[in-house]
Amino acid sequence: MAWDVLSMIGTIAFAVSGAIVAMEEEYDILGIYILGIVTAFGGGAIRNLLIGVPVSALWEQGMFFQIALLSITAVMLFPNRLLKHWQRWGNFTDAIGLSAFAIQGALYATEMNHPLSAVLVAAVLTGSGGGMIRDVLARRKPLVLRSEIYAVWAILCGLAIGLKIAANSFELYALFAIITALRVLSYTYKWKLPTKRLGT
């Protein structure tokens, strides 16, 4: 049950995120749908490649594709005056997608009895892969590569699930809320990881 709910939350959040970025970049209607779909499912496709699941398994998620398409359509129907406030809640949507998909990816790997290292990779790629593809296609610097903390929260998801700290539905939903809150705090207060710059 937790798997399906988190997958649905992540799909909606990232589909909306991709669609709005496409509108910001003035893509046409087809481009908006493509970027929304790629954002919602790109991370899962990369994860499947690396942990040995056929990429074609994505096509078995018919309901989630329908949810993504409906979410993108709903965003396109929003009045422009609401979309102008995207900067205020866009990061929040992205935070929801990150935590939901990171948990989903970690659960996927644990169900396949993969080691902790694979669980961490699955969490990071599922949580941030779609956003990275979105940003690259929109010619933006990927969020995960910025100094602002992003992928660290996906790693924490993988650790919590890989080490069995979060196992039942209640614990998974609590983890989802905590990771979402941490992501919101990190961009609100501009928490950053150390950087290394080359001297000029």
Side-chain angles (χ1 to χ4, degrees), residues 29 132 163 200:
I29 291 177
M132 288 183 67
L163 297 175
T200 56

Side-chain angles (χ1 to χ4, degrees), residues 8-44:
M8 191 176 301
I9 292 171
T11 298
I12 294 171
F14 273 168
V16 168
S17 172
I20 293 185
V21 168
M23 285 186 276
E24 286 180 342
E25 298 298 325
E26 299 183 354
Y27 284 21
D28 62 20
I29 291 177
L30 180 60
I32 292 170
Y33 276 100
I34 289 175
L35 197 61
I37 291 294
V38 166
T39 305
F41 297 97

Side-chain angles (χ1 to χ4, degrees), residues 21 24-25 86-87 135-142 146:
V21 168
E24 286 180 342
E25 298 298 325
W86 162 245
Q87 291 298 330
D135 292 340
V136 168
L137 291 178
R139 298 181 181 180
R140 299 181 174 190
K141 183 186 292 185
R146 297 180 187 175

Side-chain angles (χ1 to χ4, degrees), residues 21 36 62-63 73-74 93 107-108 117 125 128 155 159 184 195:
V21 168
M63 181 184 70
T73 302
T93 304
L107 288 172
Y108 206 115
S117 57
L125 290 179
S128 60
I155 294 172
L159 285 172
V184 170
T195 58

Side-chain angles (χ1 to χ4, degrees), residues 5-7 9-11 95-105 126 176 180:
V5 173
L6 290 170
S7 295
I9 292 171
T11 298
I96 292 172
L98 169 69
S99 56
F101 271 2
I103 293 171
Q104 186 236 49
T126 312
F176 166 73
T180 300

Side-chain angles (χ1 to χ4, degrees), residues 46-121:
I46 298 172
R47 174 204 66 211
N48 287 359
L49 279 172
L50 290 182
I51 66 174
V53 177
V55 178
S56 59
L58 287 175
W59 306 121
E60 299 172 4
Q61 303 181 44
M63 181 184 70
F64 293 108
F65 274 97
Q66 293 172 17
I67 290 171
L69 291 172
L70 287 173
S71 301
I72 296 166
T73 302
V75 169
M76 290 178 62
L77 295 176
F78 280 1
N80 284 340
R81 67 178 184 276
L82 293 179
L83 293 178
K84 288 179 181 178
H85 297 290
W86 162 245
Q87 291 298 330
R88 294 185 181 179
W89 50 271
N91 283 331
F92 179 64
T93 304
D94 198 78
I96 292 172
L98 169 69
S99 56
F101 271 2
I103 293 171
Q104 186 236 49
L107 288 172
Y108 206 115
T110 53
E111 288 198 356
M112 295 181 66
N113 296 315
H114 283 307
L116 180 60
S117 57
V119 174
L120 295 178
V121 169

